[in-house]
Amino acid sequence: MRIVVHGQQAFGKSVLEALLERGENVVGVYCGPEPAQGGGRVDPLNEAALARGLPVHQPRSFRNKPEVREEFAKLEADLCVMAYVTLIVPEEVLNLPTKGTIQYHPSLLPKHRGPSSINWPIIQGETRTGLTIFWPDLGLDTGPILLQKEVEILDTDTLGSLYFDRLYPMGVASLLESVDLVRAGKAPKIVQDESRATYEGWCKKEDVQIDWRKPLAEIWNLVRGADPQPGAWTTYESTTVQLLDAKKLPGAAGGQPGEVTAIDDAGLRIAADGGQIQVTRVRAGGPKISAGDFAKTAGLRPGARLGA
């Protein structure tokens, strides 16, 4: 089959390399556009494609761009494999490959449609999630399902660990499995159950401000579901402080909600309803630093209240 890979970043690169390593005929690569002002980091998928001598296309939009459609059509693809795509691709382009287009989404569709589908299950305290390979259509993550895989969300998982340790490698393998099913003519198209559908938008800074009056479990889910991005945050005096590399200490006594109860080599301990949160690293307007170094620089001492 003649395959077009459309994606970006490390995940797109991994999918491209996995397809090429097993001898697939990749005839073109679509990836994110160059930064408008220049000077930004080159997309890893772009670098990998150029290193392999593959034609790379970087349209800023597919909408109302007949020249972009024509460029895609010239590739005469049998299948388009979408690996982390943020551009809106019109259905007429999705249907250009003779066998259609398949896409990776890191949730068990139709639950958690939308762009931050790994953050929200953790923040909402769910214990299971997974990935879906589906046939994209005009809607947002609404197309028929080809394949799904389920994983457990551990109580120690962060956004980073859940994605990089499980959903990322499983996603690459699942796209390869899906390509095989398409080639064999055995790829299903299971209509999504709209009665089970949920949608959440981008997980943004305003969504992850910590309310220290809430139960420990809710604060813990918020902190780990936003680690490393967008970073659950609180304030100390006039400084916004993102809490990273944290640990839940259920039952740990002492302090009022939001009160720093200890500062030591392990970091900061902050009281909550039902225990404490121990934080190893923070970000306070710059790069990540140890929580202990931040405390020294900011003059933070036990007894201080965060988020007051």
Side-chain angles (χ1 to χ4, degrees), residues 280-304:
T280 305
R281 291 166 67 81
V282 303
R283 185 187 290 115
K288 294 180 185 179
I289 60 173
S290 74
D293 286 346
F294 168 74
K296 291 176 184 176
T297 302
L300 178 62
R301 294 181 173 80

Side-chain angles (χ1 to χ4, degrees), residues 29-42:
V29 172
Y30 279 73
C31 59
E34 296 288 352
Q37 304 302 319
R41 183 173 182 269
V42 176

Side-chain angles (χ1 to χ4, degrees), residues 229-251:
Q229 291 293 338
W233 60 278
T234 187
T235 57
Y236 173 60
E237 296 181 340
S238 61
T239 302
T240 296
V241 185
Q242 294 176 321
L243 308 186
L244 306 165
D245 298 344
K247 182 179 180 181
K248 181 176 66 171
L249 304 175

Side-chain angles (χ1 to χ4, degrees), residues 156-195:
T156 53
D157 269 323
T158 63
L159 165 69
S161 69
L162 181 60
Y163 177 60
F164 288 108
D165 294 349
R166 300 202 290 292
L167 293 178
Y168 184 121
M170 185 183 289
V172 175
S174 295
L175 278 170
L176 296 185
E177 182 180 348
S178 298
V179 168
D180 289 338
L181 288 170
V182 171
R183 178 186 288 111
K186 297 179 180 180
K189 292 185 177 181
I190 303 167
V191 176
Q192 294 188 34
D193 181 356
E194 291 298 323
S195 70

Side-chain angles (χ1 to χ4, degrees), residues 219-237:
I219 295 172
W220 172 237
N221 291 339
L222 185 69
V223 170
R224 66 197 185 97
D227 183 357
Q229 291 293 338
W233 60 278
T234 187
T235 57
Y236 173 60
E237 296 181 340

Side-chain angles (χ1 to χ4, degrees), residues 123-141:
I123 291 171
Q124 294 170 11
E126 297 181 21
T127 58
R128 307 293 298 181
T129 188
L131 64 85
T132 302
I133 310 300
F134 71 107
W135 305 87
D137 58 14
L138 281 174
L140 183 60
D141 305 328

Side-chain angles (χ1 to χ4, degrees), residues 9 16 48-49 68 70 74 78 82 107 116 128 135 144 149 165 182 214 220 242 252 297:
Q9 303 305 325
L16 172 65
V68 175
E70 291 167 9
K74 288 178 182 177
D78 295 305
M82 286 187 161
S107 84
S116 293
R128 307 293 298 181
W135 305 87
K149 304 282 187 178
D165 294 349
V182 171
K214 290 188 175 181
W220 172 237
Q242 294 176 321
T297 302

